[in-house]
Amino acid sequence: MTSTRGYHHGDLRRVLLAAAVEVIEESGSAALSLRDLARRAGVSHAAPAHHFGDRAGLLTALAVQGFDLLAEALHAAGTDLLDVGVAYVDFAVGHRAHFEVMFHPDLYRADDPEIRAARARSGRALHAGVAALAQARPGTRQDDAMAAWSIVHGFATLWLAGALPAGLGDDPGEAARAVTRRLFTPPPGP
Amino acid sequence: MTSTRGYHHGDLRRVLLAAAVEVIEESGSAALSLRDLARRAGVSHAAPAHHFGDRAGLLTALAVQGFDLLAEALHAAGTDLLDVGVAYVDFAVGHRAHFEVMFHPDLYRADDPEIRAARARSGRALHAGVAALAQARPGTRQDDAMAAWSIVHGFATLWLAGALPAGLGDDPGEAARAVTRRLFTPPPGP
DNA sequence: GGGCAATCTTGACGATGACAAGATTCTGTC
DNA sequence: GACAGAATCTTGTCATCGTCAAGATTGCCC
C-alpha cells in the first residue's frame, strides 16, 4: 500500500508506463495526462517529470517500448511472410496503445536516438520476412515489401478504428490472414 | 478586417474548420485548441462553442467533412480499382488533417447521425470500385475488398507517419500505384 | 417597430503541463 | 558508521486550456 511509502516508489517508471497503456487503451492518446497517471501511481503530480521530463518524453518511451515489442513479435513469427503479417496485426490489436502512439510521431520526440534505434530494430525484423520471400521467389521487389507492409498495417489500423464491416469474425489474426493472402493469390483475372 | 466587425462574424463555422485543418496539418490533432482557433479567427474564446458545442463537436464536423470529401474523390476516380486506390492515397495525403481525425473515433462523436451518414456515403463510394472489379472478375470476394482497402489505407497511413523508407519518390499517388498493383499481379511464384 | 433567435463577449472555475525550490531516501566512498 | 552527492520524490506556482453561465449585440421575421 503506497500509504506506507515515503519518497522512493522503487518502480515508478514502469508503473507509469503501464498506467499510460491502460488509459490509452480505454480512451485514446488524447486522454492521457501526467497528473492522472501520477494519481493512479499514488505519487505527486510532478513525480513523472523526473523519469520522463515531460508528456512527450513519456510517449517517446512508450513508442520505444512498442517498436521493441513489435520486433520481438515479428522475430517470433518466423520467416513466412504471411505469418509475419498476421503477427503484425496481432501485435497491433494486442498492443493498441503502443501501436497508436508509435505511428503518431507528432506525439513524441521522433528524433530521439532511442526511438531511431528501436525503429531500426523493428524495421529489420519486418524486412526479415521480405528477405525470406525474396529468397523463395526471385524477382521480388521493394514494391512487394511495401505492399506487404501496407496491407497488414492498413488492416490493423482499420480494425483498431472500428472501420471494417461486421462479419470478419472476432479473431483479427485470422481475418488478416484471409485478407493478406490476397496479396499472393489475386482473384482470377480476365 | 475583423476590427470593424461587431458581434456577427458571418462565416465563423467555416473559418474555424479551416483553421483547425491548418493547425492539425502543422502540429497534429493533439495540438488543436478551441481558444487558439478563436484567436486565429479573431473572435472571443467562447464563440466556437455556439457552432460546435465543444472540442469533440468541432472534430465531429471535421470528420463528417472528411468522409464527404473522400466520397467525392473516390467517385471522381471512376471504377478502375487501381485508380480508386490511388485516389484514396491522394486524398489521405492531400487532406491529412481530415484523414487523421476520420480514423480516430475517440476524438469525435462516432455515434453522431451525421457521421454515420457521411461514413456510409464514403463506404459506398469505396465499394463502387470493388463492385466494378467483381463485375470484371467473377469470383471476387469480400476478402478482396478488404485487401484493396487495407493496402491503400496502410500505404497512406505509413506515408503520413513518415514510416516508409526513402526512395519511393515525392508523388504518393504514383508510389501507391506501384505498390497496390502488387495486389493484382503478385511476384512470380515457385 | 418589436420580438425572438442567432451569434457573439466577458467572466469564472477546475484541470492540465511545465517549472522551480526544497525535502527525503538511497548509494557509494572513505 | 558517517558523509556527500545523486536519485527520487513533494509542494507550490503560473499560464493555458475546456467548459459553463450570464449577458450584449445583431439579424431576421411578422
Side-chain angles (χ1 to χ4, degrees):
Chain A
M1 209 26 194
T2 58
S3 60
T4 59
R5 190 181 58 78
Y7 270 55
H8 200 71
H9 183 283
D11 198 18
L12 186 57
R13 188 180 191 279
R14 187 192 63 77
V15 166
L16 290 172
L17 287 170
V21 165
E22 196 175 311
V23 169
I24 296 172
E25 284 183 350
E26 280 166 16
S27 318
S29 58
L32 186 87
S33 101
L34 291 181
R35 289 196 185 216
D36 182 43
L37 297 184
R39 278 193 296 273
R40 288 170 183 252
V43 292
S44 67
H45 61 269
H50 174 75
H51 297 275
F52 302 105
D54 55 15
R55 187 175 186 273
L58 182 140
L59 290 169
T60 302
L62 203 73
V64 165
Q65 199 174 57
F67 283 117
D68 281 341
L69 286 167
L70 176 60
E72 284 166 28
L74 297 181
H75 276 306
T79 53
D80 180 73
L81 198 57
L82 208 58
D83 289 339
V84 170
V86 169
Y88 189 98
V89 171
D90 281 340
F91 167 82
V93 174
H95 296 83
R96 64 179 295 160
H98 289 98
F99 194 74
E100 171 172 339
V101 173
M102 284 156 71
F103 292 97
H104 280 88
D106 47 72
L107 294 175
Y108 57 83
R109 295 195 168 83
D111 56 352
D112 182 282
E114 282 202 63
I115 277 281
R116 290 183 181 285
R119 247 192 177 128
R121 291 193 287 276
S122 73
R124 285 197 289 277
L126 199 68
H127 285 108
V130 176
L133 178 74
Q135 209 162 35
R137 299 185 179 194
T140 302
R141 291 155 33 196
Q142 190 191 29
D143 286 348
D144 298 310
M146 295 303 102
W149 189 13
S150 296
I151 200 166
V152 295
H153 186 82
F155 185 86
T157 310
L158 291 169
W159 181 283
L160 289 170
L164 293 171
L168 293 174
D170 295 331
D171 187 342
E174 284 314 301
R177 189 179 295 278
V179 164
T180 53
R181 188 172 278 120
R182 299 333 283 147
L183 189 59
F184 304 108
T185 52
Chain B
M1 209 27 189
T2 59
S3 60
T4 59
R5 188 183 59 77
Y7 269 56
H8 199 71
H9 184 282
D11 198 18
L12 186 58
R13 186 178 192 281
R14 189 191 60 78
V15 167
L16 290 170
L17 285 171
V21 164
E22 198 175 310
V23 169
I24 295 173
E25 284 183 349
E26 279 167 17
S27 318
S29 57
L32 186 87
S33 101
L34 291 182
R35 289 200 187 217
D36 182 44
L37 297 184
R39 277 192 296 273
R40 289 169 181 251
V43 293
S44 66
H45 60 271
H50 174 74
H51 297 276
F52 302 104
D54 54 14
R55 186 176 187 273
L58 183 141
L59 290 169
T60 302
L62 203 72
V64 165
Q65 201 175 56
F67 283 117
D68 281 342
L69 286 168
L70 175 59
E72 284 168 28
L74 298 181
H75 275 308
T79 52
D80 179 73
L81 199 56
L82 208 58
D83 289 339
V84 168
V86 169
Y88 189 98
V89 171
D90 281 341
F91 167 80
V93 175
H95 295 84
R96 63 179 297 160
H98 290 99
F99 194 73
E100 171 171 337
V101 173
M102 282 156 74
F103 291 96
H104 280 86
D106 47 71
L107 293 176
Y108 57 82
R109 295 197 168 80
D111 56 352
D112 182 280
E114 281 202 64
I115 278 278
R116 290 181 179 287
R119 246 190 177 129
R121 290 192 289 275
S122 74
R124 286 198 289 277
L126 200 66
H127 285 107
V130 177
L133 177 74
Q135 210 161 34
R137 299 184 177 194
T140 302
R141 292 156 30 197
Q142 191 194 27
D143 285 348
D144 298 310
M146 295 302 103
W149 190 11
S150 295
I151 201 166
V152 295
H153 187 82
F155 185 87
T157 309
L158 291 168
W159 181 282
L160 288 171
L164 293 170
L168 292 175
D170 295 334
D171 187 339
E174 285 311 302
R177 191 179 293 277
V179 164
T180 53
R181 187 173 279 122
R182 306 321 298 140
L183 189 60
F184 305 108
T185 52

